[in-house]
Amino acid sequence: MVRSGEEPRPAGRATDGTGPASLRELFLQGEPVETGVRTSILDSWQRCRSLGLSPDTLDLPYREDFDPGGRIVRAAVPVLDRLQATFAGSQVNISVADANGTVLLRRFGDPSMARRLPDIQVVPGFVFAEQVAGTNGIGLALAERQLIRVYGAEHFAERSQQNACVALPVRDPLSGRIEGVLCLGYPRGFERPALGVAIRRAAEGIERRLLGQSSARERALLRTYLAAGAGTAGLHHGVALDAVADEFHPRDQAILREKAAELISGAQRGAAEVTLPDGRRVTLVSRPVTSGSGVQGIAIEAVLPGSPGEPLVIPHQTDELSALSAAPLSAARPAITLPSGHLAAPSGPLVATGPLVATDGDGATAAPGGTAGPVTPAEAPTAATPDSARTPAGPAPTDSDRSPSVPAAADGDGPGPAGKHSEAAFPARGLVMLGEPQVGAYALAARRRLELLSEASTRIGTTLDVRRTAEELAETAAPGLADFVTIDLPDAVLRGEESADPIADLRRTVVHGIREGLPFTPPGKRVDFGPTTPQLRCLSSGEAVLEPDLKAAAGWLAQDPEHTARLLAHVHSLIAVPLLARGVVLGVASFYRAGSSFGDDDRSLAQELASRAALSIDNARRYTHERTMVLALQRRLLPHGLPDQDAVEVAHRYLPAESDVGGDWYDVIPLSGARVGLLVGDVVGHGMLSAATMGRLRTAARSFAELDFPPDEVLTHLDNLVGRLDREDPDGKGAGVIGATCLYAVYDPTAQRCLMARAGHPPPAVVHPDGTVTYPDLPAGPPLGLGGLPFDAVEVGLPEGSQLVLYTDGLIEDRNRDVDAVLEQLREALAHPERAPEETCQAVLDTVAPAHPHDDIALLVARVHAMDPARIATWELSADPARVGEVRASATRWLSDRGLDETGFAAELILSELITNAIRHGAAPIRVRLLYGRTLICEVSDASNTAPHLRRAASTDEGGRGLFLVAQLSQSWGTRYLPEGKVIWAECDLDAA
């Protein structure tokens, strides 16, 4: 049970004028020392300086009241004798100190050393704690709570510069507490690899002897209990568990043993009724046991319920245990220090917490209810025997003598006094569990530790939110382990990134405890830890740092004396644990306890909790980072602004899913003839792939739309594109598209008509000027990528002021809601035609969108406008070249009447070329239309499907320059195909000369 760990840095022995010797001088002069000194040594130097210690005037205190025959001394004497024989003739100085650093034993490899060494290295009683002796083996082993080596100039005191030592804490195997320190001192040049092995083996030997002392105490209790015949008197229907083994399921026996451990740890006399899962009830009675040698314990006996109406009488307790609590079973008990481990209880009739060995002194098995072999006179039952072995005398027990859970005896009908029952009436064996109260507390605390770890596995990491995961760690640890928990994370980690300098970037993220109002740094504030604080030390070393008593923690006190002084009124002990996962520093967790001190087992538990939480925090950080990147990509691929056009007034919203980002998109596309295209789509799936695929589909859809394809043809081209993307990905795991849906609508303000088609997408909603909301009967069409199936387009009328609402399925589809009910809810939210599109968007998200969306939501609301007929001019002419001049003159007059004289020159030339081409290469009827909006649009249509192409005419060509002139005089031009024929259009800027 020896816990030790050596630091990976070089040992750094002092040399002649170089190495740690010179670095120590630099440190004492106040110069920064960052490399060349091990972390534990540098931390100790800094603590010594914070305490104001001087390396030249360190006078060690001497204690005359130390116990030369204490428990650690009795366990260590034989081990030190063997060590002395091992190092006979060498300059090794062997010592054992207690948990306060006071040296209790000395041994020397060369006995002559005792005559020439100073008293502080020879006489027991001197204190080598770090706070009084500076950096040394014993003090640093207690401070770091692990194996420590100190060489030459690494000592803080000048007098120790020529020495080296290795020291290791010795722990009680049962409680996990440090009982003392074993230290081997030697001259600086006497370094041997075997020293580390020797000190570990010696410490293990001392710990085994400490365990043996505990076992002897337990054996004394057991022999006293059996010899006194405690199981044969004083119980009503008392039985041992093995007597009814066939009736009790192993699960039920475990429940009874668990409750027995609680009764032992409670150190009290009384009874508790245990209800088993099958409804049966068993009463466990706890009674004190004191051996002849003074060992005090608690015996737990089982009592089966008697016939109805037969109460249970608890024999009067005449000899209370002076050292044990007599609180009632229901009283709240304080937190118990968790042990380093415990021995599993056997399943037989003799069950004991701790290292109980059910044998007598000669090794014979002690059978329950029978004799336990020879009993030594010192441990034979005397007056200090279990009270159940005595016949009660005097009056019946009073209420104060009974357990709160046990009723008073009924007069007359109940059984007679316990002592009057014949021995044959009751089983001879009634013991369930036996142990000392502190041993029971260790076993109970070990179980609670396992329960806390089990709880942590289910409570920590339930979300992929960094801040919430940190809160779950704090809520799990308080009050299970600590009274108060603070967690500090770098800003970068909260954003999902790795912090470049986590020590300088910490921000208080969580403060949680059993009560509020303590003077901790509040959440959201920056925290700066000094170099000697436990938090910074744990971040530097990567290991948990335990400060059992904060009043003696120099580094913690020196951080902010005023602030720490206020905290000391509320907290007593601290464990600082780094949050490390996959080599990334994620922050630091600080566990505070207000009452009892933390121990090494608490530190191990805190380290385990922090490790589990760190993995969950890192998962959440990575997810946050990926989600931020995907969301940035998604928003980058969506439109950043709306194009200038007069056909519709548009508002839009994009709401990412709560857990991930998908592939929803929308677009507004100005088209020829003052028309506008409205596009909404959804790529199935989430993450980077869906966002990237969405960008590809949106770009392709916009390109197809700008070619003036009708909606059904645009969807056909997209369907082919998605099919090609899937075929390019043979294994289906790369850039392929699992599926996508789309809705495309084209609104013409000159005719107030809208042509739309959809591919597996939810239908649009139309809000009429009178407030009526309808869902057009639009064929659903297959999702994109299936291929081979046609798409149908439907044309609907949209009077001016109507609103067209396009959305993705994330708005209406939810696992907890019915789609039809949601569509009706959407209808009610949209039935307000007076609202502006922006207000409509917000109202829909507030009332219809799910509170926690599992899918992205894209929403597009367009209020349509009609073009003023006074801004539209049309002419129809036959295929007669003579009509060209007539139409050109009429157009010029129409433009002049509207103050567009400057634009009229360019429009006149454009119309001449387009009309001439239609007459020469097209077919009747020929129509001319002028649209006056933000720009001037000139359109010439004919019944031919042959489109002109722009080419460069040679110098000898007589024609071929018409379209070149059109392209030069207009800002854009193109061809739009009709069901019958085509339209050649050109758009002129109104400022063109």
Side-chain angles (χ1 to χ4, degrees):
M1 194 170 262
V2 177
R3 297 180 183 175
S4 61
E6 301 200 31
E7 300 177 62
R9 295 195 178 187
R13 301 178 183 82
T15 56
D16 297 334
T18 62
S22 59
L23 291 173
R24 175 178 174 275
E25 297 304 321
L26 290 175
F27 176 82
L28 294 176
Q29 294 170 9
E31 298 293 333
V33 177
E34 298 180 355
T35 59
V37 181
R38 291 178 292 150
T39 301
S40 60
I41 300 298
L42 183 58
D43 289 344
S44 179
W45 287 355
Q46 291 170 338
R47 292 194 296 269
C48 294
R49 184 164 60 184
S50 300
L51 291 167
L53 300 181
S54 172
D56 300 316
T57 59
L58 278 179
D59 294 327
L60 301 187
Y62 178 78
R63 292 184 54 187
E64 296 182 353
D65 58 345
F66 71 93
D67 185 3
R71 185 166 179 246
I72 183 68
V73 173
R74 296 196 307 273
V77 166
V79 178
L80 263 63
D81 290 341
R82 290 196 297 270
L83 278 178
Q84 185 176 22
T86 300
F87 294 106
S90 69
Q91 299 296 307
V92 175
N93 180 354
I94 308 165
S95 59
V96 170
D98 63 15
N100 297 316
T102 304
V103 174
L104 305 177
L105 290 173
R106 292 282 193 184
R107 293 288 191 276
F108 304 96
D110 183 358
S112 64
M113 295 173 60
R115 295 190 297 271
R116 63 176 184 268
L117 292 177
D119 288 346
I120 62 171
Q121 296 186 29
V122 177
V123 179
F126 283 97
V127 180
F128 283 82
E130 185 186 66
Q131 56 265 34
V132 294
T135 306
N136 69 91
I138 294 175
L140 193 53
L142 289 173
E144 296 291 331
R145 311 179 76 83
Q146 62 181 344
L147 185 141
I148 286 295
R149 297 177 185 270
V150 183
Y151 301 98
E154 292 180 336
H155 289 87
F156 193 75
E158 289 289 348
R159 61 170 173 266
S160 303
Q161 298 299 293
Q162 301 303 316
N163 300 324
C165 63
V166 55
L168 179 64
V170 177
R171 290 180 170 83
D172 184 330
L174 201 60
S175 67
R177 292 196 300 259
I178 292 179
E179 292 289 332
V181 177
L182 176 63
C183 181
L184 303 180
Y186 47 89
R188 201 172 63 192
F190 185 82
E191 176 62 26
R192 299 290 187 276
L195 290 175
V197 177
I199 196 170
R200 283 193 179 92
R201 290 179 177 174
E204 289 173 355
I206 297 174
E207 290 181 351
R208 281 195 300 270
R209 293 182 60 82
L210 289 173
L211 181 61
Q213 293 177 11
S214 298
S215 300
R217 295 168 62 88
E218 294 283 353
R219 286 196 300 270
L221 284 175
L222 179 61
R223 283 193 292 269
T224 300
Y225 175 86
L226 297 175
T232 64
L235 286 179
H236 178 63
H237 291 191
V239 297
L241 287 185
D242 64 333
V244 288
D246 295 336
E247 298 183 22
F248 283 93
H249 190 275
R251 172 199 60 197
D252 299 335
Q253 297 185 38
I255 294 174
L256 295 173
R257 288 195 297 268
E258 179 178 308
K259 188 60 180 178
E262 292 184 5
L263 293 175
I264 291 177
S265 66
Q268 55 197 352
R269 174 178 55 86
E273 189 176 70
V274 181
T275 302
L276 300 177
D278 60 3
R280 289 186 295 173
R281 294 178 298 175
V282 177
T283 301
L284 297 180
V285 179
S286 63
R287 59 187 67 247
V289 178
T290 305
S291 73
S293 59
V295 180
Q296 296 175 327
I298 296 290
I300 307 297
E301 296 168 315
V303 180
L304 292 180
S307 59
E310 287 190 352
L312 173 66
V313 179
I314 301 299
H316 180 59
Q317 180 68 30
T318 56
D319 293 330
E320 294 288 351
L321 291 174
S322 60
L324 305 181
S325 169
L329 292 175
S330 59
R333 294 173 37 245
I336 300 174
T337 302
L338 298 180
S340 58
H342 66 286
L343 301 178
S347 59
L350 282 180
V351 182
T353 61
L356 173 60
V357 181
T359 60
D360 59 22
D362 298 328
T365 302
T371 60
V375 179
T376 60
E379 294 174 342
T382 60
T385 58
D387 296 299
S388 58
R390 304 189 186 104
T391 300
T398 62
D399 291 340
S400 60
D401 295 320
R402 297 187 184 98
S403 168
S405 62
V406 180
D411 295 333
D413 297 333
K420 295 182 180 180
H421 284 281
S422 66
E423 188 169 332
F426 302 98
R429 295 175 294 178
L431 180 65
V432 176
M433 187 175 287
L434 177 70
E436 294 183 85
Q438 62 269 30
V439 178
Y442 299 149
L444 179 62
R447 177 172 55 80
R448 289 179 176 173
R449 176 185 180 181
L450 293 177
E451 291 174 350
L452 185 60
L453 290 175
S454 176
E455 180 184 1
S457 64
T458 58
R459 290 188 60 181
I460 300 176
T462 59
T463 68
L464 286 172
D465 180 80
V466 173
R467 193 181 304 273
R468 179 58 194 149
T469 304
E471 292 173 352
E472 290 170 345
L473 168 60
E475 292 168 359
T476 302
L481 170 64
D483 295 325
F484 305 96
V485 180
T486 64
I487 298 178
D488 307 310
L489 303 178
D491 284 332
V493 172
L494 294 173
R495 295 192 304 267
E497 305 169 3
E498 291 187 18
S499 178
D501 187 3
I503 295 176
D505 190 28
L506 289 174
R507 187 175 298 275
R508 180 59 46 85
T509 305
V510 177
V511 176
H512 179 74
I514 58 176
R515 63 178 182 274
E516 299 179 353
L518 269 67
F520 288 109
T521 302
K525 296 290 186 180
R526 294 290 298 272
V527 288
D528 297 315
F529 294 115
T532 61
T533 57
Q535 287 85 353
L536 192 63
R537 287 160 51 201
C538 80
L539 287 175
S540 301
S541 65
E543 299 290 338
V545 173
L546 167 62
E547 291 289 357
D549 185 1
L550 286 175
K551 294 181 180 179
W556 186 78
L557 294 172
Q559 166 71 7
D560 185 349
E562 181 179 353
H563 177 67
T564 53
R566 295 198 306 270
L567 268 181
L568 279 177
H570 306 279
V571 296
H572 171 70
S573 189
L574 165 67
I575 299 175
V577 188
L579 297 174
L580 301 173
R582 303 180 180 97
V584 178
V585 178
L586 302 173
V588 60
S590 302
F591 302 89
Y592 295 89
R593 185 173 284 178
S596 59
S597 297
F598 285 117
D600 286 284
D601 297 310
D602 299 312
R603 179 174 65 172
S604 299
L605 178 57
Q607 182 86 56
E608 178 66 21
L609 290 176
S611 298
R612 297 188 181 194
L615 286 175
S616 297
I617 290 175
D618 191 50
N619 290 337
R621 179 192 66 82
R622 289 166 175 255
Y623 167 77
T624 301
H625 178 67
E626 180 179 348
R627 185 175 189 274
T628 301
M629 292 179 60
V630 174
L631 187 58
L633 174 62
Q634 172 87 337
R635 294 192 182 279
R636 188 68 181 172
L637 294 175
L638 290 174
H640 293 283
L642 297 178
D644 294 333
Q645 46 80 35
D646 295 324
V648 293
E649 177 187 352
V650 179
H652 55 86
R653 292 288 190 278
Y654 170 73
L655 184 65
E658 191 173 71
S659 59
D660 209 343
V661 180
D664 292 12
W665 89 91
Y666 59 87
D667 209 347
V668 179
I669 308 169
L671 301 175
S672 64
R675 299 170 307 142
V676 65
L678 304 175
L679 189 67
V680 170
D682 181 10
V683 175
V684 176
H686 298 87
M688 188 74 73
L689 175 61
S690 295
T693 303
M694 177 274 291
R696 301 170 72 178
L697 291 184
R698 175 179 172 254
T699 301
R702 189 178 186 92
S703 300
F704 296 145
E706 289 179 343
L707 291 174
D708 273 323
F709 291 140
D712 53 337
E713 291 189 26
V714 169
L715 295 183
T716 300
H717 288 296
L718 286 176
D719 182 60
N720 294 332
L721 173 63
V722 172
R724 287 196 301 272
L725 292 178
D726 281 333
R727 289 192 296 272
E728 291 172 2
D729 181 28
D731 58 0
K733 299 179 180 180
V737 182
I738 298 176
T741 65
C742 186
L743 171 62
Y744 181 41
V746 177
Y747 173 69
D748 186 352
T750 63
Q752 301 180 41
R753 305 289 293 177
C754 183
L755 185 65
M756 61 185 74
R758 61 178 176 141
H761 201 82
V766 176
V767 184
H768 297 276
D770 61 356
T772 304
V773 180
T774 61
Y775 297 100
D777 187 12
L778 183 62
L784 300 176
L786 296 183
L789 297 175
F791 298 95
D792 296 325
V794 173
E795 189 175 47
V796 297
L798 293 180
E800 183 173 13
S802 301
Q803 291 188 1
L804 184 63
V805 181
L806 286 67
Y807 51 88
T808 56
D809 57 2
L811 178 67
I812 61 172
E813 293 184 3
D814 185 74
R815 66 189 66 173
N816 300 318
R817 303 190 299 174
D818 180 69
V819 174
D820 293 334
V822 176
L823 288 176
E824 186 61 32
Q825 189 178 6
L826 176 61
R827 187 193 305 272
E828 295 175 359
L830 294 176
H832 298 276
E834 72 282 358
R835 288 177 179 161
E838 284 288 343
E839 296 174 348
T840 301
C841 277
Q842 194 59 46
V844 169
L845 292 183
D846 292 341
T847 59
V848 182
H852 303 283
H854 297 285
D855 195 8
D856 291 19
I857 297 175
L859 177 63
L860 192 66
V861 178
R863 171 175 286 170
V864 301
H865 299 292
M867 179 169 280
D868 187 354
R871 290 176 172 261
I872 304 173
T874 59
W875 295 271
E876 187 169 341
L877 64 156
S878 60
D880 183 2
R883 296 293 306 276
V884 176
E886 180 183 337
V887 173
R888 187 172 59 227
S890 298
T892 301
R893 287 192 303 269
W894 189 84
L895 293 173
S896 179
D897 292 342
R898 287 155 181 78
L900 301 177
D901 296 309
E902 302 238 349
T903 309
F905 175 74
E908 183 179 359
L909 292 177
I910 291 172
L911 287 175
S912 295
E913 293 297 334
L914 295 181
I915 295 173
T916 301
N917 281 339
I919 292 174
R920 293 180 59 184
H921 305 290
I926 299 173
R927 294 183 179 87
V928 177
R929 188 171 72 162
L930 294 180
L931 303 176
Y932 170 32
R934 292 177 181 270
T935 59
L936 179 64
I937 300 174
C938 304
E939 294 182 344
V940 177
S941 62
D942 64 82
S944 172
N945 289 325
T946 303
H949 298 281
L950 181 66
R951 65 184 181 87
R952 184 179 296 275
S955 58
T956 57
D957 290 345
E958 294 184 1
R961 297 177 179 83
L963 286 182
F964 178 77
L965 290 176
V966 171
Q968 294 298 312
L969 293 173
S970 63
Q971 63 182 24
S972 61
W973 73 279
T975 303
R976 179 171 75 251
Y977 289 93
L978 303 174
E980 294 181 0
K982 65 180 181 298
V983 176
I984 310 297
W985 58 270
E987 188 172 349
C988 299
D989 188 23
L990 294 180
D991 296 332

